[in-house]
Amino acid sequence: MKTLTTAPLTAGLTGTALTAFAPMVWGTTYVVTTELLPAGHPLFAGLMRALPAGLIALAITRTLPRGTWWLKAAALGVLNIGMFFPLLFLAAERLPGGVAATLGAAQPLLVAILAVAVLRQSPSAWRFAWGIVGIVGVGLVVIGPAAGFDLVGVLAGLGGAATMALGVTLTKRWGRPADVGPTAFASWQLTAGGLFLVPVTFLFEGAPPAIDLNAALGYLWLGLIGGLLAYVLWFRGITSLPVTSVAVLGLLSPMVAAVLGAVLLGQGLGPIQLAGFALALAAIVAGQITPKTKPGRDRHVTVG
């Protein structure tokens, strides 16, 4: 039989809530980009989101990687930020936002697969099933009747989801040094990813755009809140919570973007979108629960 327990519930819920803040903030990126930032410079926006935040955190913590962590931090920074941002922006340019968001929602499913291959976790039908439900839910929320498909955009969207999924999984596998806090850990990756983006940005976009007050406020939000604070909480969550539970929280990003689009930009949410919200929320909640079977006992569920 199965037993139902919830331990340790409070700590798990607190950690989950703090980690969930990151994808919720990332959901504001679309409206900030379209309403505040100069058009045609998405890579520069990614660079401004990563490098200044990383350098500020480095100055605060005064902690540099040691030994093999120079290579590990560089690899994680390139995967989680340096490669992810260009692929994300390429998908956004070549595809309708809803299609790009739905491809990104494949990340929890990819993490569930990588958890088996890289972390040697047992395959979980629960994780795979709810990962699919999450993709369907986000698709219903954000894909409209005019959605189109572009092969390069689709490959970029899937590539972005794959690089982020691999980065998340390796972050869980390697953890972080015992004497290094989450702020220093985030600073390494933000700086590495930002440095990787410098030549990519100037190669494809040329000189930086003119920055007015609105743009400055937008870059400050993306850098300090969407970059520094969000990634500190995100990487803290990855190292302290089950990796598949963290990954499914990424579904919050397109959902927040859809809500902001409806509230601030007049983009309506009909019955289909509301049904998608319900499915995506169910997938997020289910992703925080790990059912376990133990002989001779009732249902056991671990939360967070």
Side-chain angles (χ1 to χ4, degrees), residues 196-261:
F196 176 85
L197 277 171
V198 170
V200 175
T201 300
F202 287 96
L203 177 64
F204 288 98
E205 293 185 357
I211 300 176
D212 58 14
L213 179 59
N214 284 342
L217 292 175
Y219 289 131
L220 282 173
W221 173 263
L222 290 177
L224 295 181
I225 308 302
L228 181 56
L229 179 58
Y231 275 103
V232 167
L233 294 176
W234 183 248
F235 292 132
R236 175 186 177 277
I238 293 174
T239 55
S240 61
L241 298 171
V243 65
T244 48
S245 298
V246 173
V248 78
L249 293 175
L251 299 178
L252 289 168
S253 182
M255 294 171 66
V256 168
V259 170
L260 291 178

Side-chain angles (χ1 to χ4, degrees), residues 153-168:
V154 169
L155 292 176
L158 291 175
T163 57
M164 187 68 167
L166 180 57
V168 167

Side-chain angles (χ1 to χ4, degrees), residues 76-181:
L76 294 177
V78 169
L79 286 170
N80 286 320
I81 294 165
M83 290 182 65
F84 174 65
F85 282 177
L87 290 170
L88 176 69
F89 291 135
L90 178 59
E93 288 180 354
R94 301 292 294 257
L95 297 171
V99 178
T102 304
L103 293 173
Q107 182 196 330
L109 193 60
L110 295 174
V111 169
I113 295 172
L114 289 171
V116 176
V118 177
L119 303 180
R120 305 302 182 188
Q121 295 182 2
S122 300
S124 172
W126 178 273
R127 301 293 189 195
F128 288 117
W130 284 109
I132 294 172
V133 170
I135 295 174
V136 173
V138 170
L140 291 176
V141 171
V142 297
I143 291 184
F149 294 89
D150 173 88
L151 180 59
V152 174
V154 169
L155 292 176
L158 291 175
T163 57
M164 187 68 167
L166 180 57
V168 167
T169 306
L170 289 178
T171 302
K172 184 65 177 180
R173 179 180 176 85
W174 292 335
R176 69 171 187 263
D179 58 343
V180 173

